[in-house]
């Protein structure tokens, strides 16, 4: 009985503390003077004006500049010769499995044919 009573007191004390803390937060954030409200309104108007007067023209100019420069760049730098397919898949160091020359799936097909059956041939 004593334990239940002390538990109820602790719970009541927590509720009172949390309510007091919430009231302090609310009173701090919602009580404003006329000067503060006017300052906030002026700040909002300033950022709105900056968005339309500075940010949007800069964005439009940047997009135009990017398009013209990209076109000039592609005209002055033609594409190089096309690489054959064997150049794309050039192996520069050995694979970490098997003898180092086979790709992973070929190695698995050889080592475990019962688990990884070889692919069907198209021929």
């Amino acid at each position: 009985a004593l334990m239940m009573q002390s538990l109820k007191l602790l719970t009541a004390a927590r509720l009172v503390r949390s309510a007091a803390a919430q009231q302090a937060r609310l009173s701090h954030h919602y009580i404003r003077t006329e000067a503060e409200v006017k300052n906030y309104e002026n700040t909002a108007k300033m950022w709105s004006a900056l968005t339309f007067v500075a940010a949007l023209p800069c964005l439009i100019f940047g997009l135009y500049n990017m398009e013209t420069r990209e076109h000039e760049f592609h005209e002055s730098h033609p594409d190089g010769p096309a690489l054959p397919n064997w150049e794309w898949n050039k192996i520069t160091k050995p694979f970490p499995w098997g003898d180092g020359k086979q790709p992973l799936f070929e190695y698995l097909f050889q080592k475990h044919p019962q688990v990884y059956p070889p692919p069907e041939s198209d021929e």
Side-chain angles (χ1 to χ4, degrees):
L2 183 59
M3 187 148 185
M4 285 298 284
Q5 191 177 13
S6 63
L7 205 82
K8 286 180 184 177
L9 284 174
L10 284 174
T11 306
R14 277 192 203 133
L15 286 173
V16 168
R17 271 186 276 146
S18 67
Q22 185 177 10
Q23 183 63 32
R25 282 194 303 269
L26 288 177
S27 66
H28 174 70
H29 287 294
Y30 291 112
I31 295 177
R32 302 283 186 211
T33 63
E34 290 288 327
E36 287 176 322
V37 171
K38 191 127 183 113
N39 184 27
Y40 290 144
E41 290 173 357
N42 290 339
T43 304
K45 288 177 185 174
M46 177 195 69
W47 282 109
S48 177
L50 275 176
T51 299
F52 291 108
V53 173
L56 288 180
C58 288
L59 179 68
I60 292 168
F61 175 72
L63 289 172
Y64 171 76
N65 196 16
M66 178 189 69
E67 287 296 322
T68 56
R69 296 281 172 104
E70 182 180 14
H71 184 68
E72 291 171 5
F73 176 81
H74 284 299
E75 285 180 349
S76 64
H77 293 81
D79 292 337
L83 294 175
N85 286 345
W86 58 269
E87 278 286 333
W88 294 353
N89 298 326
K90 187 184 270 186
I91 299 170
T92 57
K93 65 180 190 176
F95 292 117
W97 51 82
D99 61 356
K101 296 179 183 173
Q102 291 180 316
L104 179 63
F105 290 112
E106 287 181 19
Y107 171 72
L108 291 175
F109 292 153
Q110 276 188 352
K111 186 163 177 138
H112 307 286
Q114 71 280 3
V115 178
Y116 300 101
E120 297 294 323
S121 175
D122 291 339
E123 298 173 8

